[in-house]
Amino acid sequence: METILSGPGLASGADLETLAELWTLSFGAPAPMIRNIQTLIADTDRTVVYREDGKAVAGAYLMETTLRIGDESYSAYYFFAAATHPDCRRKGYMGQIIRYCRTLCEERDIDFLVLVPSDNDLYKYFSRFGFRANFYLKTTQLDREQLLAMVEKMELPEEEASEAAGFVPVEMQAARLAALKGGSHVEFDRQTLQYLVFEHAYRGGKTILLEDGYVLYDLSTDDTGDTVLTVRELCAADAPGRLLQKLSEVEADQYILNLPAFDSLRGGRTSTGRAGMDLAVSKRAVKAERTMKNAYIGPAPGQDL
């Protein structure tokens, strides 16, 4: 697809600086975060912009990934970090980018487009383009006593899993694949996990890394002054007992665990809510989408940009 002066199209190398400025202007995203997106998980061949008179005024990234449904794997593009210049909003430019992305998927034999809306209002917006909310998240809230009681009931290995010095993303990938094998989910490759850990740490997030799994979590204070630990992702190759034990060693008043809807962990006050959307592009994807139930998409790269 050739570069055009006005309309949607693929980005060129010359657009990257403009895009970085655009996202900083739109959301206050720090330059290092944008640079790492562009270095680790972006490519001009998968970066779509809308141009006005030759200048990019809106853009979004497409990350190559795989959607696992049952025993089958489907190619997918993860649509993320979308932004429009404040002076160019409400002109339909992002809608044209989304339509262009669908056409790109059709031309490249990509089965699905997947995304995580940054707020509830955007679910209605994306549904206008055919996206459906097929990804869900189970949120379990426990106080400290409940978490300690949960850990006490679990059977822990006689030998404690050691904290992984020099834990590398490929080990995280193996733990994630093992943890999510029980349900439909979006798979992350090594580079994507590397970026997610960087972004999480850059925003002040904490990480627990063991030989058999990992936890990404945040600490915050609520309106009552209580310390709240929020798990963004927890993946254990086997039982999560050791990871939960490590979490219980972090002093907090409340523990909020965001887990796949198909996860078997029980306890505390639990609710299930939508956590992402997909657009089935190919014929095989349309058929497979009918079998999706409580699929898991995980943390969204660049979601707060």
Side-chain angles (χ1 to χ4, degrees), residues 23-263:
W23 289 315
T24 299
L25 175 64
S26 298
F27 303 109
M33 195 176 294
I34 297 298
R35 294 286 179 258
N36 272 273
I37 283 180
Q38 294 175 335
T39 299
L40 292 173
I41 56 176
D43 187 285
T44 53
D45 196 46
R46 288 179 281 103
T47 302
V48 179
V49 298
Y50 189 96
R51 294 186 179 87
E52 265 191 359
D53 299 324
K55 182 178 180 180
V57 295
Y61 290 129
L62 295 171
M63 179 177 69
E64 280 187 311
T65 187
T66 300
L67 177 55
R68 187 80 177 178
I69 304 176
D71 295 327
E72 298 293 328
S73 292
Y74 298 83
S75 59
Y77 276 162
Y78 197 135
F79 179 92
F80 73 103
T84 303
H85 191 286
D87 295 339
C88 299
R89 293 173 185 167
R90 301 187 182 280
K91 294 184 178 182
Y93 291 170
M94 190 54 64
Q96 292 200 49
I97 284 177
I98 293 170
R99 293 186 185 96
Y100 185 94
C101 290
R102 175 169 187 157
T103 299
L104 209 60
C105 288
E106 291 171 347
E107 292 178 351
R108 297 177 178 179
D109 295 323
I110 301 297
D111 296 311
F112 283 94
L113 265 175
V114 300
L115 56 83
V116 176
S118 58
D119 60 58
N120 281 326
D121 292 338
L122 286 176
Y123 279 88
K124 184 177 180 180
Y125 172 76
F126 285 114
S127 68
R128 288 163 43 191
F129 302 95
F131 285 87
R132 296 183 178 182
N134 283 319
F135 296 98
Y136 284 82
L137 201 64
K138 180 175 74 174
T139 300
T140 297
Q141 184 170 347
L142 310 102
D143 58 29
R144 182 161 182 77
E145 289 71 24
Q146 288 173 315
L147 178 61
L148 290 171
M150 179 183 288
V151 172
E152 188 175 354
K153 292 178 182 178
M154 290 184 169
E155 293 184 9
L156 301 179
E158 292 184 7
E159 293 185 7
E160 181 175 348
S162 62
E163 295 196 28
F167 201 87
V168 294
V170 70
E171 292 176 90
M172 292 181 67
Q173 185 183 21
R176 193 175 193 274
L177 287 171
L180 301 178
K181 64 183 179 182
S184 299
H185 63 277
V186 171
E187 296 180 355
F188 288 154
D189 63 16
R190 188 178 189 275
Q191 281 187 304
T192 302
L193 283 171
Q194 184 179 349
Y195 172 73
L196 287 172
V197 171
F198 161 82
E199 182 180 294
H200 179 70
Y202 194 91
R203 289 178 173 151
K206 309 295 183 182
T207 305
I208 295 174
L209 301 172
L210 300 181
E211 290 178 351
D212 59 350
Y214 65 92
V215 183
L216 305 179
Y217 71 92
D218 300 320
L219 286 172
S220 61
T221 304
D222 66 14
D223 294 338
T224 67
D226 282 352
T227 299
V228 180
L229 185 155
T230 302
V231 170
R232 301 301 176 191
E233 182 162 85
L234 185 154
C235 289
D238 296 307
R242 288 299 184 196
L243 288 172
L244 292 174
Q245 183 181 55
K246 287 293 183 182
L247 274 182
S248 72
E249 294 172 6
V250 181
E251 291 287 341
D253 301 296
Q254 299 291 330
Y255 297 82
I256 299 175
L257 314 182
N258 290 304
L259 304 166
F262 55 79
D263 189 274

